Amino acid sequence: MFGLLGPNGSGKSTTFKIAVGLLRPSDGRVSINGKAPGTLAARRATGFLPEDSTLLPFLSALETLKLHGALAGLSRTDATRKANELLERVDLLHAAKRRVKGFSKGMQRRLGIASVLIADPEVFILDEPTSGLDPLGAVLVKDLIGELRAKGKGILISSHLLGELENVCDRVAFLNKGKLLNEGTLEDLLREKEVHELRVSPPDSEAIKALEELARERGLKIVRSGSPMRSLEAFYISVLGKKDDTP
Amino acid sequence: MIGRTLAIAVAALKEALRAKLSPLAGLLLLLLVPWLARLFGQDDPDTQAWLTRSITTEGLRVVLPLLAIVGGGFLLRPTLKRGWTALPARRSEYFLGVGLTGFVVITLAAGLFTGGGLIANQWLDSDLTVTAQGEKISKQRRLDGALQTAPGRDAIYTWANPAYSEELVVELPERETGRLRGTIEYQLVWTREAPPRDRSPVSIWIENDGKRHELKTTVQSRYRIEFEGEGERGKLVIQPTDPVLIVGTTPDRVRVELSKVNSTGSMYRLFALSASASLLCLALVMLVRSLSTSPTAVLAGLLLLATLTLLPTLAPASQMAKDRRAAVAGEPDEEHWINLEEKFDRLPQLYPEFYFDEFLAARNVPDEIWSEVAIRLLAALLLLPCGAVLFRARQIAK
């Protein structure tokens, strides 16, 4: 799983469009499973979720997935079965017959992801997959991506939310104004080798004071000490629960 | 490939039919002709007939192809925003699928509009577009001029004065049925010797082998009468019956119903011609659009082209304009650049004007129109794969 990071206009989406054969590169070479982008073999191997996933507004969610199933070469029966499975997976089964026009942005995004999944491609190219999703929706999408990763699918992903990529990517690259600034594993890029963090539980104040004293005696500088704060996302999930669906 | 193309076409068609304004637009197309004919024609059958014919004709000849041109400019979306739906398919399949949907929508629109014309015919008067054979009648009247007081020409009235026992005689065209039915429109001149007597100033007879029998007549308006009766061949005699009213008419105003001629058949033919020509427009616009990311630029160019060449009635280089210029400036120099207009005139027309003129003059649109329809449809269908290849080759818009 490879993450692309960079500010707006850095070339992330353009890179993705080149990878799916919608744009031709001015320089360099791209291949998907050894095939040139845009060829039928590469197209069949690729699932692409663009940043701005505008769906056909007057089709229902089920019809949208069946259309993508038909485009992926599934029979009508298989497409219907798989569409229903995916709607359940992205928590949209209750809205299967509703027209996409009435969907919230988050629901549309989840449907977009399901439409990519129905073809079961080898490589996923996901441009800001959690953009517009509420925290629960984002967790659902992150779970889906985790499942794909566990299945051994190749994933090329971009996101503005750095924390999202931090937890899931094997490698990341930083782009700015079309230039590659840095690239490597998260371990290589993010590890602060001059600092060590130790977390203990329960927070026994006597024991912590003794540890701090020992550290000072050894000549170490204590950068921070105290109870860590949970992230707002983690708190949101603990309060609202995963089953809640806010359209 | 066929399955994917059809899947895209079906999805796009569902989109088009489920749009909020689609039912309203469909209803409007269906009811436009009867509504306008009723609204502006009031209770006058002649005006209603003219409105029904002209609205239907001009709608099919001018408005529908223009709508096809405009619609085609926006139908194809080569940007990622909408086109991404087709990414699992090849983009040529997306092009063909959307093009097929456009074909279906245009045909549906043309069908609804023509249906409105048919409704107007049935609702207002079943004979509104029943035809006569003007030229043939005119020719016959010149031959049978013994009882005429003036030579029969299309635009010139022939008058019959009852004071001198004059009658108007019209040779009947070939028919396949023994039932004779039709209408006559006439003008009246009042001699002021006495007030007019009857509502109807004429009686209509059929004369065959020297024998006459009177036909049943119904007054439709002040200057229009309908006749009906038995009679296979012979002459139609219009006899003035009021001594103070001189009756005049022209061959074009004598309409005789022929067995094979009916307004429905003519409208079907106009529908087929117009739908095929509009599909050709649509395919042409899509072909150009496959190369351009800007619909407005495509539309501007195509509308200019259509205005100058494809729709000759709107073109500045029409025959009327050329005649006027020739009258003022004399014969233009063959080598002069102004001959460009003449060259434009030689380009193939989108429509043969003749058929619409025939319909507008309440005559029959002939059967030979089907070859014209086939040529246009074939050209449209050939343009689609060409556009698909070009669309496949181009990069998508950022």
Side-chain angles (χ1 to χ4, degrees):
Chain A
M1 184 161 170
F2 193 94
L4 274 186
L5 292 165
N8 288 337
S10 59
K12 302 188 295 291
S13 295
T14 304
T15 306
F16 287 168
K17 285 173 195 170
I18 290 171
V20 291
L22 294 174
L23 291 175
R24 280 189 282 275
S26 53
D27 197 11
R29 195 176 67 84
V30 179
S31 70
I32 305 282
N33 282 359
K35 307 287 179 190
T39 57
L40 192 57
R43 199 180 287 272
R44 280 183 178 153
T46 313
F48 177 44
L49 180 73
E51 182 182 3
D52 205 359
S53 56
T54 307
L55 299 157
L56 296 173
F58 294 101
L59 292 189
S60 70
L62 186 62
E63 285 171 335
T64 303
L65 292 188
K66 280 162 76 175
L67 166 65
H68 281 265
L71 294 179
L74 298 179
S75 69
R76 189 174 289 185
T77 319
D78 286 348
T80 308
R81 180 183 53 76
K82 215 165 173 187
N84 280 308
E85 284 172 14
L86 283 168
L87 284 172
E88 191 170 9
R89 184 69 191 86
V90 296
D91 210 6
L92 285 175
L93 197 56
H94 64 283
K97 292 189 177 172
R98 272 172 57 192
R99 290 186 186 174
V100 174
K101 193 168 179 259
F103 280 20
S104 69
K105 195 176 175 189
M107 291 167 82
Q108 287 191 19
R109 201 69 183 149
R110 272 146 52 201
L111 183 61
I113 290 167
S115 68
V116 176
L117 290 171
I118 200 165
D120 195 24
E122 287 303 307
V123 178
F124 287 83
I125 297 176
L126 310 173
D127 197 357
E128 306 275 356
T130 54
S131 144
L133 292 177
D134 59 30
L136 293 178
V139 167
L140 191 147
V141 170
K142 276 193 271 186
D143 288 349
L144 277 172
I145 292 171
E147 282 175 25
L148 296 174
R149 189 184 174 203
K151 282 183 188 171
K153 305 280 186 184
I155 301 168
L156 182 62
I157 186 171
S158 77
S159 178
H160 286 302
L161 304 174
L162 306 183
E164 265 181 17
L165 299 187
E166 190 178 347
N167 297 329
V168 291
C169 283
D170 302 310
R171 296 170 71 83
V172 292
F174 290 86
L175 293 178
N176 193 23
K177 294 180 182 169
K179 301 280 182 196
L180 181 66
L181 299 180
N182 214 334
E183 187 262 330
T185 63
L186 284 173
E187 177 71 20
D188 291 341
L189 297 173
L190 303 183
R191 175 75 60 205
E192 292 184 60
K193 288 173 182 162
E194 64 277 13
V195 179
H196 184 89
E197 187 177 271
L198 175 69
R199 291 188 174 203
V200 294
S201 179
D204 182 338
S205 54
E206 290 298 321
I208 290 168
K209 270 184 187 171
L211 283 172
E212 286 176 355
E213 197 57 39
L214 182 64
R216 282 193 200 97
E217 281 173 11
R218 293 290 182 96
L220 298 177
K221 182 184 172 189
I222 296 173
V223 179
R224 192 181 65 192
S225 176
S227 294
M229 286 179 71
R230 275 184 292 176
S231 70
L232 191 59
E233 181 186 324
F235 182 71
Y236 182 97
I237 292 163
S238 70
V239 171
L240 294 177
K242 285 196 177 187
K243 285 294 173 189
D244 184 17
D245 180 48
T246 313
Chain B
M1 177 185 172
I2 294 172
R4 284 192 295 266
T5 304
L6 287 179
I8 293 168
V10 169
L13 190 61
K14 279 181 185 170
E15 281 285 294
L17 296 180
R18 288 176 184 178
K20 201 179 273 180
L21 290 177
S22 290
L24 185 65
L27 197 66
L28 193 69
L29 277 171
L30 188 65
L31 299 180
L32 191 69
V33 180
W35 178 63
L36 288 178
R38 191 73 172 175
L39 183 69
F40 295 110
Q42 295 169 344
D43 291 326
D44 180 28
D46 286 342
T47 312
Q48 287 175 353
W50 178 80
L51 280 170
T52 300
R53 287 196 298 268
S54 56
I55 295 170
T56 309
T57 306
E58 296 310 317
L60 289 174
R61 179 168 53 177
V62 180
V63 180
L64 196 68
L66 284 177
L67 285 179
I69 288 172
V70 175
F74 292 95
L75 184 66
L76 196 64
R77 293 176 185 273
T79 61
L80 196 60
K81 213 166 182 181
R82 280 292 174 95
W84 82 276
T85 306
L87 283 175
R90 279 167 282 187
R91 274 189 288 155
S92 50
E93 289 159 359
Y94 169 66
F95 184 95
L96 288 175
V98 170
L100 286 178
T101 303
F103 272 36
V104 173
V105 170
I106 290 281
T107 311
L108 274 177
L112 284 170
F113 188 74
T114 313
L118 289 170
I119 289 172
N121 264 314
Q122 297 302 318
W123 180 35
L124 299 171
D125 185 336
S126 61
D127 291 337
L128 288 181
T129 51
V130 163
T131 62
Q133 290 188 332
E135 294 91 346
K136 187 169 180 179
I137 293 170
S138 174
K139 191 176 171 187
Q140 194 63 43
R141 289 190 68 187
R142 277 186 224 119
L143 294 173
D144 299 342
L147 296 172
Q148 291 175 206
T149 55
R153 286 171 56 190
D154 280 0
I156 295 178
Y157 276 83
T158 306
W159 299 92
N161 190 340
Y164 301 104
S165 301
E166 287 175 340
E167 295 168 333
L168 300 169
V169 180
V170 178
E171 185 72 18
L172 288 173
E174 291 290 328
R175 289 170 297 114
E176 288 186 352
T177 174
R179 191 82 184 155
L180 180 64
R181 196 158 175 254
T183 58
I184 299 170
E185 288 156 25
Y186 45 78
Q187 287 293 320
L188 300 170
V189 174
W190 180 32
T191 61
R192 294 176 182 271
E193 290 165 3
R197 279 193 326 210
D198 301 323
R199 187 160 182 249
S200 166
V202 294
S203 60
I204 314 289
W205 302 74
I206 188 161
E207 183 179 304
N208 194 8
D209 296 333
K211 292 179 182 171
R212 284 188 178 189
H213 68 268
E214 191 171 2
L215 300 176
K216 184 186 166 195
T217 56
T218 312
V219 176
Q220 289 193 332
S221 69
R222 191 176 173 193
Y223 300 113
R224 177 177 163 131
I225 195 166
E226 184 188 53
F227 57 86
E228 188 176 5
E230 296 295 327
E232 286 184 6
R233 56 180 63 86
K235 293 170 185 172
L236 194 71
V237 179
I238 304 160
Q239 187 181 59
T241 52
D242 193 327
V244 297
L245 291 176
I246 299 170
V247 178
T249 188
T250 69
D252 270 357
R253 288 170 171 79
V254 180
R255 295 174 190 160
V256 180
E257 184 175 331
L258 306 176
S259 63
K260 280 186 176 174
V261 173
N262 60 70
S263 58
T264 311
S266 281
M267 291 179 98
Y268 284 152
R269 290 180 198 119
L270 288 187
F271 156 72
L273 180 67
S274 185
S276 62
S278 301
L279 296 182
L280 181 57
C281 285
L282 181 79
L284 188 67
V285 173
M286 286 186 70
L287 178 76
V288 181
R289 181 83 169 94
S290 70
L291 296 168
S292 167
T293 53
S294 167
T296 45
V298 174
L299 287 180
L302 281 166
L303 283 173
L304 185 67
L305 182 72
T307 308
L308 288 174
T309 61
L310 296 178
L311 303 172
T313 50
L314 300 175
S318 66
Q319 191 61 44
M320 194 187 292
K322 276 200 310 182
D323 290 349
R324 197 164 51 242
R325 193 180 61 244
V328 173
E331 283 299 311
D333 180 3
E334 283 296 313
E335 299 303 316
H336 200 266
W337 63 270
I338 208 162
N339 279 339
L340 189 63
E341 284 186 8
E342 202 172 319
K343 290 189 173 98
F344 271 133
D345 266 5
R346 288 193 202 123
L347 286 174
Q349 291 184 0
L350 185 59
Y351 296 121
E353 288 285 303
F354 174 76
Y355 298 131
F356 291 92
D357 291 345
E358 282 288 281
F359 187 77
L360 208 55
R363 293 177 191 140
N364 186 38
V365 179
D367 250 345
E368 65 233 37
I369 203 166
W370 294 111
S371 61
E372 310 270 0
V373 172
I375 289 168
R376 282 155 183 77
L377 203 56
L378 197 65
L381 289 173
L382 285 176
L383 281 176
L384 271 189
C386 299
V389 170
L390 290 173
F391 190 65
R392 168 87 180 82
R394 64 169 282 189
Q395 296 191 63
I396 205 158
K398 282 186 179 182

